[in-house]
Amino acid sequence: MKKLLNTLYVTTQGAYLCHEGESVLVNVEKETRLRLPIHALSGIVCFGQVACSQPLMGLCGERGVALTYLSERGQFLARVHGPVSGNVLLRREQYRRAENPGHAVQIARNMVIGKMMNCRTVLQRVLRDHGEKQDKETLEPVVRRLGRLTNEAEREENMEILRGLEGNAANEYFSVFNNMITAQKDYFSFQCRSRRPPLDAVNALLSFVYTLLVHDAVSALEGVGLDPQMGFLHALRPGRPSLALDLMEEFRSCLADRLVLSLINLRQIDAKGFQKTESGAVLMNDETRKTVLVSYQKRKQEDILHPFLEETVPFGLLLHIQALLLARHLRGDMDAYPPFIWR
Amino acid sequence: MYSEDNLLPLSALQHLLFCERQCALIHIEQQWDENVLTVEGKGMHKRSDQSQTESRGNIRLARGVWLKCLRLGLTGRADLVEFHRIDSPGEGVALANISGRWRPFPVEDKHGRPKKDLMDKVQLCGQALCLEEMLNVRIASGALFYGKTRHRLDVVFDDDLRSQTEKAARRLRQLLASGATPPAVYEKKCDSCSLYEQCRPKLLQQNNASVWLTRMIREAVV
């Protein structure tokens, strides 16, 4: 099995990254704070004022280590990658299928099914683990409707209708998201998704974790030689990693959302870690961001049984495995793309 | 004769003979995963990364020698080519900046131990065929040096090995030109393959993702 490697998140403002031979050095005020072998890393994510030496960029490109720059708040800025590698024939097949509506919908459909089923399982788990009576009354109908939407999606041949079904499922799921918050409810309440900017702490957390997920999805796709921008479900837009967004749909609920919920419910973060700005945007402070990053990394190390592979793998490898399965399908090795179904 | 911009890597001959799918994954899919074996192998080859020559008595050692063969359409680098000084004036080759006649003798470092199959020998023979074309000379033999056993195995480039090598070069060209990666079939040797993760030969035995998904939906959503 491929090894799950670490991602180095650098949040210290003014940090300077360089390398000495095979080691990546994190220097702060001319003092080396951290030294890591490059072969232990699959990615480096720099938040805000973090600089990297050009030789380090080169080394990252050469070794396939994804180097990403985000703003201090986690907004995507730029990515460094080496020469385009992978199989150009595979990418051409990816473009062909993406441009053929009949083919694209087959892949998009399975991704949507995966997303719907995983949202549904997240709700079912809440019901099973601590379903209060009133939650039952709210959650159970949504679980049923998500099941029906899954069945509808299964038969859908039209991409626009499929996107509509996906939107409906997301609305159903987020309509009860607040019920899954069981602690600190006075501060952490969820009404609806707000993204640019997030208008409450829950949305700020969700957006931040989704950003981490996009970063990982992009590297997973590049790792198997697919173009992260050429998507099936998400419409193309310059600069948008549509395929990475497609790929992460299956993981939003079972990886990202559950992480956010447990941070709140287990009181690992609290209201003090957030601040509302004049425009209404809610930002998290450095300490909270670090707590989220640490839990995200921990979650990625947890083992999970992959339902299609029937093999136990760390959560953090799932994106890589799904990218591999997608490449397999495009290459003609497999009759369909099997989405990740969380159980 | 192939043109210079249409040469294939010599090293692919070895991949081809090990497994056509592995060869396609590396040279068509461009998938390459470093594992312990390849990293250690790399360390061993580092020495020859810089081309340099040294003399040891009647032997000249040339490391990291660039090779090509337009007839077979191959290119690559030899770890080491020894040039043995010989007395007969009509044989061997002349070398720049040094007098005398010299017999080229390719030597390839291998990390592991000698293998039953031909792949190491074919790769070495491929190097010899390149040298023969470049230096216009006939090369009778070379050697493989195995790191695990620290043992040098002499290889004679007889007609059989030559024709196996030419056959492999033709098959390699066919495979890469097709652009298609052959399907996986699990065999015991797969366990030692550095591309096991990308290949996942066992997984591909079950080519039924759509049946699987329907079953998953039926089980979950009644």
Side-chain angles (χ1 to χ4, degrees), chain B residues 91-121:
Chain B
E91 284 177 43
V93 292
L95 295 177
N97 307 326
I98 189 159
S99 63
R101 301 296 291 182
W102 303 82
R103 181 191 295 131
F105 185 86
V107 181
E108 178 71 6
D109 285 341
K110 288 291 166 198
H111 173 69
R113 44 183 87 245
K115 303 174 190 74
K116 281 200 200 96
D117 46 48
L118 271 181
M119 56 194 197
D120 292 346
K121 290 182 182 168

Side-chain angles (χ1 to χ4, degrees), chain A residues 119-149:
Chain A
C119 284
R120 189 171 166 274
T121 306
V122 167
L123 298 180
Q124 279 179 319
R125 284 232 176 169
V126 172
L127 278 169
R128 195 187 67 196
D129 293 347
H130 40 76
E132 308 289 326
K133 190 166 177 295
Q134 85 179 75
D135 285 337
K136 258 193 178 142
E137 281 163 13
T138 338
L139 296 189
E140 275 174 351
V142 175
V143 168
R144 275 198 300 278
R145 286 199 285 273
L146 284 173
R148 271 206 298 278
L149 284 165

Side-chain angles (χ1 to χ4, degrees), chain A residues 211-229:
Chain A
T211 310
L212 303 178
L213 203 51
V214 176
H215 166 261
D216 289 351
V218 167
S219 357
L221 290 165
E222 282 180 345
V224 302
L226 290 170
D227 181 342
Q229 292 203 335

